[in-house]
């Protein structure tokens, strides 16, 4: 085998190992980090400290990038983002809402069929997205009610 072929083979093998290592070992979930005001950041940091280790039996995972404004559980992922902008849909009088253990959430359907919930009447907006398997199940919202109630003050 010529030197150039040997180097090409080694380079290909190294690239394959690097790619497989990145995709299978870290398990991080890409989550866009919101850009809230400094006051909202403090509220979100307090919320982050109170978040559960499991949601509906799903273990906490790593978000990429890691941030006190995001959290992830399970696969497919349940994703929480704190400090998101007020959803435009909240101005719609026909918007659907649910209540979970004293916390009000606005419901939006995502393109993949999963629900997205955003808190209402709070000093920071907290968004939780669920995979499609939760399309008609709000039960996991209960895991977030206590931490939100404790750390994200009412805005009314």
């Amino acid at each position: 085998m010529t030197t150039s072929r040997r180097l090409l083979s080694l380079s290909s093998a190294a690239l394959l190992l690097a790619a497989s290592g990145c995709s299978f070992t870290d398990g991080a979930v890409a989550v866009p980090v919101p850009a809230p005001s400094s006051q909202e950041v403090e509220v979100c940091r307090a919320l982050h400290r109170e978040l559960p280790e499991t949601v509906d039996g799903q273990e906490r995972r790593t978000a990429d990038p890691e941030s006190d404004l995001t959290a992830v559980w399970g696969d497919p992922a349940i994703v929480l983002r704190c400090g998101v902008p007020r959803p435009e849909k909240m101005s719609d009088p026909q918007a659907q809402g649910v209540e979970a253990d004293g916390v009000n959430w606005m419901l939006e359907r995502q393109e993949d069929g999963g629900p997205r919930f955003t808190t209402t009447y709070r000093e920071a907006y907290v968004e939780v997205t669920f995979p499609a398997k939760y399309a008609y199940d709000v039960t996991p919202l209960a895991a977030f009610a206590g931490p939100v109630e404790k750390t994200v003050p009412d805005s009314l």
Side-chain angles (χ1 to χ4, degrees), residues 26-29 51-63 71-80 130-131 133-134 140 143-144:
D26 67 5
V29 178
L51 292 173
E53 286 302 312
T54 62
V55 173
D56 196 41
Q58 303 293 316
E59 295 293 321
R60 186 114 176 229
R61 297 179 59 195
T62 303
V72 180
W73 296 263
D75 184 16
I78 295 170
V79 177
L80 178 141
F130 293 129
K133 74 178 189 176
Y134 293 102
F144 303 109

Side-chain angles (χ1 to χ4, degrees), residues 39-148:
Q39 180 181 355
E40 291 171 317
V41 167
E42 291 309 311
V43 168
C44 292
R45 284 184 177 146
L47 173 63
H48 195 264
R49 289 188 293 271
E50 298 294 325
L51 292 173
E53 286 302 312
T54 62
V55 173
D56 196 41
Q58 303 293 316
E59 295 293 321
R60 186 114 176 229
R61 297 179 59 195
T62 303
D64 180 27
E66 290 186 48
S67 169
D68 287 347
L69 306 178
T70 63
V72 180
W73 296 263
D75 184 16
I78 295 170
V79 177
L80 178 141
R81 297 184 331 129
C82 183
V84 297
R86 182 181 189 274
E88 190 175 312
K89 184 81 172 167
M90 263 187 207
S91 298
D92 181 353
Q94 301 299 316
Q96 295 179 322
V98 297
E99 183 268 332
D101 293 344
V103 176
N104 293 310
W105 302 83
M106 182 189 70
L107 165 65
E108 296 175 275
R109 298 274 176 222
Q110 301 177 96
E111 288 182 19
D112 69 359
R116 175 175 43 222
F117 297 94
T118 307
T119 56
T120 61
Y121 310 115
R122 297 279 165 179
E123 287 187 11
Y125 292 104
V126 178
E127 172 191 276
V128 178
T129 56
F130 293 129
K133 74 178 189 176
Y134 293 102
Y136 300 100
D137 186 3
V138 299
T139 307
L141 281 179
F144 303 109
V148 167

